[in-house]
């Protein structure tokens, strides 16, 4: 079977493919909200130490991770989108958020609700961006990106954070206090 790999050398840019890609990314962005809803019953049943203590120094707790995801959706990602749409070839700051030292004292359900609410608002914001603006170029961390790239970056970050939590909870001895 002969496969012409050169056909994948250039990014596909026909309108139908871009529309399908846009819809898929928007759907994937909504996944974090769905995950927060699904995690609530499981995380609520865990002992307090499992959600408000880090396994190793430098690791985020479950609550800090949720606060981190929420802060990105409120403080960083919307600014990227606004800048991308409003400016010609903007240079955007990297996603640096200060970790919330009080996150572990916050209510778990409150944190999960904040993740859902802020992600739903972000998805609504991205859905409102006209398709023609999705290919506008900007610079993020010295890389040229468009809204497709930014959305994929967000989805990958979400997946990494949730995968790390899942592995940590899977490996934890949740039977003891």
């Amino acid at each position: 079977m002969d496969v012409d790999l050169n056909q994948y050398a250039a990014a596909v840019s026909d309108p139908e493919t871009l529309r399908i890609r846009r819809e898929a990314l928007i759907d994937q962005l909504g996944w974090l909200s769905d995950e927060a809803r699904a995690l609530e019953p499981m995380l609520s049943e865990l002992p307090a130490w499992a959600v408000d203590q880090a396994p190793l120094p430098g690791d985020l707790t479950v609550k800090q991770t949720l606060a981190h995801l929420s802060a990105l959706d409120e403080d960083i990602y919307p600014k990227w989108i606004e800048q991308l749409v409003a400016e010609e070839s903007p240079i955007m700051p990297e996603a640096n958020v200060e970790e919330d030292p009080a996150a572990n004292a916050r209510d778990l359900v409150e944190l999960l609700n904040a993740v859902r609410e802020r992600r739903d608002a972000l998805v609504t914001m991205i859905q409102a961006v006209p398709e023609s603006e999705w290919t506008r170029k900007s610079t993020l961390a010295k890389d040229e990106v468009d809204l497709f790239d930014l959305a994929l970056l967000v989805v990958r970050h979400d997946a990494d954070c949730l995968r790390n939590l899942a592995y940590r909870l899977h490996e934890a001895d949740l039977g003891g206090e």
Side-chain angles (χ1 to χ4, degrees):
M1 171 185 212
D2 290 334
V3 177
D4 179 16
L5 296 179
N6 289 330
Q7 69 180 332
Y8 302 109
V12 179
S13 60
D14 67 278
E16 181 61 12
T17 301
L18 292 179
R19 182 191 64 75
I20 292 168
R21 186 172 175 218
R22 179 180 176 269
E23 289 175 5
L25 285 167
I26 289 171
D27 183 57
Q28 285 297 301
L29 286 166
W31 176 70
L32 180 63
S33 183
D34 296 339
E35 283 296 305
R37 187 172 287 105
L39 284 171
E40 184 177 333
M42 184 204 61
L43 293 177
S44 295
E45 294 294 318
L46 295 178
W49 62 264
V51 293
D52 60 16
Q53 291 181 18
L56 296 170
D59 288 348
L60 297 179
T61 67
V62 170
K63 287 182 174 182
Q64 288 171 325
T65 299
L66 295 171
H68 169 81
L69 290 167
S70 182
L72 287 169
D73 281 358
E74 182 176 45
D75 300 328
I76 303 295
Y77 301 151
K79 290 177 185 167
W80 283 356
I81 296 164
E82 289 168 359
Q83 203 172 355
L84 181 71
V85 173
E87 299 175 22
E88 192 65 36
S89 300
I91 297 176
M92 299 181 297
E94 292 188 50
N96 293 320
V97 273
E98 301 246 347
E99 299 308 329
D100 181 0
N104 292 326
R106 293 175 60 192
D107 179 66
L108 177 65
V109 174
E110 171 195 321
L111 288 165
L112 288 164
N113 286 339
V115 168
R116 284 197 310 265
E117 290 166 10
R118 290 177 181 155
R119 178 50 58 97
D120 290 346
L122 181 69
V123 168
T124 299
M125 180 184 201
I126 289 178
Q127 285 173 321
V129 175
E131 287 184 36
S132 61
E133 301 294 314
W134 277 66
T135 55
R136 289 188 68 180
K137 298 298 180 188
S138 63
T139 302
L140 176 67
K142 300 181 184 177
D143 294 322
E144 186 177 75
V145 295
D146 59 19
L147 190 50
F148 289 102
D149 299 321
L150 292 177
L152 184 58
L153 179 93
V154 172
V155 168
R156 285 181 173 161
H157 183 263
D158 294 344
D160 289 344
C161 287
L162 293 173
R163 181 178 44 252
N164 289 341
L165 285 180
Y167 286 148
R168 182 186 316 160
L169 293 172
H170 176 74
E171 293 171 359
D173 177 13
L174 299 174
E177 271 297 319

